[in-house]
């Protein structure tokens, strides 16, 4: 597929056409990412509404996540085969229909089915949107467009619990799905009008065998990992069996993809050193950071007794820090080497996390909120510059497949990180309260709610959180190692260099 034309010159600003495309892509991203986090705070309400068990209602979240993992691998091929604009419109339409039906759900089974439909649309939105945006901007402005796309990715986990808590408490659980309808309709109409038309270019026969390996493989792996917090152990059959089956399928896919002509995911991308190093850095980062971020609201609700709404509001400084940093680092990512941005960003995140490794039951909110702000600044200088480093040196025709691979890495590593941090916390709580691992958080909740045991229980629980945050901090510190091998030079696209190949330019 031909790349959209973009003015040459690394210093060029984002023009009106690119900003229009960005507005459409950001709307779609907001819709998909908000929905993931909004639903999490409503699970307890849905359990009561449908008179079901928490294990069953978890499938409202798990079904969405598995559908996401299943459809993401197909989007790279589908972008080339049908065109990114058509695929993006299909993704928004599918998500919109799924949202409306989920809001109309009459029992838990229908809600789970409609959430899966939502996930099929949501899984296509981010990689297709990223492909459209990077092609429209051109490689010389990837840093800036990634900073634009990164705003909803950062604000979703923060604004989602706030919006979800308010809708569930003040309106109705159905509105956590209906809220997508006006956003989705607007995004669909804007996409129809503003997205540039592209001509499909079939990239060989569709790799059905590869799809039957990688999509179920990812779904099985993420499902097995997602069951760790509820079972409390990796030894449970429902954890290791699907996870092992998923790993076997993924390994088989890799071995086959290295031999066939047109694999579902082009592993030749990893021959590009910048792309490979960026993906390794992204994997380690997502495991440590998103695992820790999952636990922050729980600390505020379990240890400090805050409501879900207040816990979401307390995370706002992180979003503010990220919003301040991202426009600056986005411009810098197009002018200087990624390593010079990512390493200081990781340093800020580790610095902020150190405070949480010492967190207690009465730690000053001022100190915690300041640390979250510093972590937000670091986040704004980390995730999107890493993505920019991965994409800047690739050819325009590789963008769809690269966006797919990037989203797979983020989803898988994020799920693994959440499970790892949850099981560490559950094991620590179980040891503190003398119960089985699966009962650790329940025991801590009961003890902190009891006035007679509240003070002692809050201290023990806070200590468990501090140790868990220490593990996350160690992982984030280890992320500095692959980040050190990110490009030391900025790659100038051929349009800038007036040459047939990309040229590395040292930045002093």
């Amino acid at each position: 597929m031909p790349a959209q034309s973009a003015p040459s010159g690394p210093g060029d600003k984002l023009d009106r056409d690119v900003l229009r495309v960005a507005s459409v892509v950001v709307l779609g991203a907001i819709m998909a990412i908000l929905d993931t986090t909004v639903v999490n705070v409503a699970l307890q309400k849905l359990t009561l509404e449908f008179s079901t068990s928490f294990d069953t209602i978890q499938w409202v979240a798990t079904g969405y996540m598995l559908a996401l993992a299943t459809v993401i691998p197909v989007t790279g091929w589908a972008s080339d085969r049908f065109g990114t604009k058509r695929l993006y419109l299909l993704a928004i339409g599918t998500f919109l229909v799924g949202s409306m039906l989920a809001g109309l759900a009459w029992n838990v089974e229908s809600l789970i089915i409609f959430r899966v439909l939502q996930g099929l649309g949501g899984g296509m939105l981010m990689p297709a949107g990223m492909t459209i945006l990077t092609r429209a901007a051109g490689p010389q402005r990837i840093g800036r467009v990634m900073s634009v796309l990164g705003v909803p990715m950062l604000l979703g986990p923060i604004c989602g619990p706030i919006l979800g808590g308010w809708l569930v408490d003040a309106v109705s659980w159905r509105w956590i799905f209906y809220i997508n309808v006006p956003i989705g309709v607007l995004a669909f109409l804007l996409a129809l009008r503003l997205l540039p038309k592209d001509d499909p270019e079939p990239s060989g026969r569709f790799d059905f065998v590869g799809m039957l390996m990688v999509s179920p493989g990812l779904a099985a792996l993420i499902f097995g990992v997602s069951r760790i917090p509820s079972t409390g152990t990796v030894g449970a059959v429902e954890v290791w069996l699907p996870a092992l089956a998923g790993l076997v399928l993924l390994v088989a896919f890799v071995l086959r993809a290295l031999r066939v002509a047109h694999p579902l995911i082009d592993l030749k991308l990893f021959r590009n050193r910048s792309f490979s190093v960026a993906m390794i850095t992204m994997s380690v980062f997502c495991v440590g950071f998103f695992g820790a971020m999952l636990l922050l609201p729980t600390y505020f609700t379990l240890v400090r007794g805050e409501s879900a709404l207040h816990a979401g509001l307390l995370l706002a400084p992180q979003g503010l820090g990220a919003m301040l940093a991202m426009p600056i680092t986005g411009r810098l990512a197009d002018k200087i080497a990624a390593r010079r941005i990512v390493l200081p960003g990781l340093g800020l995140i580790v610095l902020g996390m150190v405070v949480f490794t010492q967190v207690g039951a009465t730690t000053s909110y001022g100190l915690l909120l300041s640390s979250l702000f510093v972590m937000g600044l670091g986040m704004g200088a980390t995730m999107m510059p890493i993505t920019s480093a991965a994409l800047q040196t690739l050819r325009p025709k590789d963008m769809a497949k690269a966006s797919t691979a990037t989203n797979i890495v983020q989803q898988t590593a994020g799920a693994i990180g959440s499970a790892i941090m949850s099981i560490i916390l559950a094991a620590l709580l179980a040891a503190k309260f003398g119960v089985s691992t699966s009962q650790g958080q329940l025991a801590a909740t009961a003890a902190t709610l009891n006035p007679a045991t509240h003070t002692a229980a809050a201290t023990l629980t806070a200590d468990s959180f501090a140790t868990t945050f220490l593990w996350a901090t160690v992982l984030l510190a280890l992320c500095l190692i692959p980040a050190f091998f990110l490009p030391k030079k900025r790659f100038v696209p051929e349009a800038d260099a007036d040459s047939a190949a990309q040229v590395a330019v040292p930045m002093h």
Side-chain angles (χ1 to χ4, degrees), residues 71-77 79 127-128 130-131 264-265 398-409:
V71 77
I72 285 175
V74 184
T75 55
W77 174 85
S79 292
M130 189 183 295
T131 302
L264 188 65
I265 300 172
D398 292 328
M399 286 300 180
K401 292 173 182 176
S403 298
T404 297
T406 301
N407 277 271
I408 289 173
V409 167

Side-chain angles (χ1 to χ4, degrees), residues 77-288:
W77 174 85
S79 292
D80 290 335
R81 178 64 181 83
F82 303 107
T84 49
K85 180 173 182 176
R86 291 187 183 92
L87 184 66
Y88 198 70
L89 289 170
L90 174 64
I92 293 175
T94 304
F95 192 88
L96 189 56
V97 171
S99 297
M100 290 188 290
L101 292 174
L104 295 169
W106 53 91
N107 57 31
V108 69
E109 291 81 11
S110 63
L111 179 57
I112 291 170
I113 291 170
F114 298 144
R115 280 285 287 167
V116 169
L117 181 62
Q118 263 191 311
L120 294 175
M124 292 185 285
L125 274 173
M126 283 302 292
M130 189 183 295
T131 302
I132 291 169
L133 198 50
T134 51
R135 283 176 173 165
Q140 71 273 18
R141 298 182 293 184
I142 280 181
R144 274 164 286 180
V145 298
M146 283 295 105
S147 69
V148 170
L149 190 57
V151 172
M153 294 181 71
L154 292 176
L155 295 186
I158 297 167
C159 298
I162 299 173
L163 179 62
W166 177 75
L167 287 172
V168 169
D169 292 341
V171 191
S172 164
W173 67 266
R174 297 184 184 277
W175 276 93
I176 63 176
F177 303 112
Y178 289 150
I179 194 72
N180 292 321
V181 175
I183 301 175
V185 169
L186 179 61
F188 189 90
L189 293 175
L190 288 176
L192 201 60
R193 180 178 176 83
L194 300 179
L195 292 186
K197 184 179 180 182
D198 50 0
D199 299 318
E201 285 189 3
S203 55
R205 297 177 58 186
F206 181 61
D207 184 13
F208 279 106
V209 175
M211 186 192 72
L212 294 176
M213 290 179 175
V214 74
S215 290
L218 278 173
L221 175 62
I222 291 177
F223 171 74
V225 167
S226 70
R227 297 301 295 165
I228 293 176
S230 60
T231 59
T233 175
V234 294
V237 175
E238 60 191 286
V239 173
W240 68 260
L241 186 59
L244 180 61
L247 281 173
V248 169
L249 285 171
L250 292 174
V251 170
F253 170 78
V254 170
L255 294 175
R256 180 180 175 276
L258 294 172
R259 301 194 312 268
V260 299
H262 299 287
L264 188 65
I265 300 172
D266 188 1
L267 299 182
K268 293 184 181 68
L269 291 170
F270 290 90
R271 293 177 181 173
N272 181 305
R273 182 182 179 277
S274 295
F275 185 82
S276 297
V277 171
M279 289 299 96
I280 294 169
T281 308
M282 179 73 76
S283 299
V284 180
F285 175 77
C286 287
V287 171

Side-chain angles (χ1 to χ4, degrees), residues 443-508:
T445 303
T448 52
L449 289 176
N450 186 343
T453 58
H454 171 76
T455 302
T459 301
L460 291 173
T461 305
D463 187 54
S464 299
F465 273 96
T467 305
T468 308
F469 287 132
L470 176 61
W471 281 96
T473 305
V474 170
L475 269 175
L476 288 166
L478 288 174
C479 191
L480 289 165
I481 297 173
F484 184 79
F485 292 96
L486 287 169
K488 291 186 286 186
K489 304 172 182 179
R490 182 180 68 86
F491 280 83
V492 178
E494 59 185 55
D496 292 350
D498 292 321
S499 63
Q502 291 178 334
V503 180
V505 178
M507 300 305 296
H508 300 290

